[in-house]
Amino acid sequence: SYYNGELIVQARAWDPDTNKYSDVEYVIDADTEKIVHTYNYDEADSGFQAPEQYYIGNYRIEVGRPDMHEHTSYYALRIFSSDGNMKQVDVKDPVDGVYDVPVVFALDETTVLVPAAVSRGYKYFKVNLNTCEMTEVNAEDYSWIDPDQFSSVFNGSDGNVYFTTSLGISKID
């Protein structure tokens, strides 16, 4: 993928000496064609699978299950800063369990809203991308949002959040 002048390439390589695959991500400066950061997924957690990625401010956020090989009832956000550091925030609910995080909404360049599917609907969390602090917020404040209706959510360069529906592209304001 491409974001803010950088190419993000995920690669899988076979090592015949160890008889194992290695999953590595390279962040490449598009102008200089030099590798700026390298992130080895095998060192962090080889079970993490992140089908969704969001680019908010100077951050890239991956959303996924922490370990696809084990039954877990929570999701995780992996937050990558522009300097290549990664922090993980677990989206958990001890009572209900979290079974999906369908979307991440940018509230500003350093704060996101995370709707989490639980057994009785949705709970909403705000996450500060600078500190990786997560706090639950009142779900009634976001009752007008139906996370089940969103697909292909993206943040426009104008700061608005867009998503696709069967009728076309819509904007949340």
Side-chain angles (χ1 to χ4, degrees):
S1 60
Y2 176 83
Y3 177 70
N4 204 22
E6 296 179 331
L7 297 169
I8 300 165
V9 179
Q10 294 178 343
R12 172 170 270 194
W14 174 257
D15 184 346
D17 295 333
T18 62
N19 206 26
K20 291 171 116 179
Y21 281 102
S22 175
D23 294 313
V24 179
E25 178 177 278
Y26 301 98
V27 179
I28 303 167
D29 183 293
D31 292 329
T32 65
E33 299 178 5
K34 294 190 186 292
I35 296 173
V36 180
H37 303 290
T38 302
Y39 185 76
N40 187 334
Y41 281 97
D42 295 332
E43 292 174 2
D45 183 2
S46 61
F48 189 85
Q49 302 235 342
E52 299 293 331
Q53 293 187 30
Y54 300 91
Y55 298 92
I56 297 168
N58 290 323
Y59 297 91
R60 179 170 54 92
I61 303 168
E62 294 181 347
V63 179
R65 305 258 331 239
D67 191 341
M68 293 301 287
H69 306 294
E70 305 229 355
H71 176 70
T72 56
S73 60
Y74 68 97
Y75 270 66
L77 307 178
R78 285 197 171 165
I79 302 168
F80 293 84
S81 59
S82 58
D83 61 5
N85 290 322
M86 185 276 291
K87 293 183 180 177
Q88 182 168 309
V89 175
D90 293 335
V91 183
K92 293 182 175 183
D93 185 300
V95 176
D96 292 322
V98 172
Y99 302 101
D100 191 20
V101 173
V103 66
V104 172
F105 295 111
L107 297 178
D108 57 41
E109 289 195 2
T110 60
T111 310
V112 294
L113 179 69
V114 179
V118 296
S119 60
R120 294 175 279 158
Y122 281 90
K123 290 192 174 183
Y124 293 84
F125 300 92
K126 280 187 182 179
V127 178
N128 179 315
L129 300 176
N130 290 328
T131 64
C132 294
E133 291 181 32
M134 182 176 70
T135 55
E136 185 174 348
V137 295
N138 187 348
E140 290 181 17
D141 293 345
Y142 300 99
S143 61
W144 58 273
I145 296 176
D146 184 359
D148 295 326
Q149 298 301 313
F150 299 122
S151 62
S152 302
V153 175
F154 57 97
N155 297 293
S157 59
D158 59 359
N160 290 309
V161 178
Y162 296 90
F163 63 96
T164 60
T165 68
S166 59
L167 301 175
I169 297 175
S170 296
K171 176 177 82 169
I172 297 175
D173 56 8

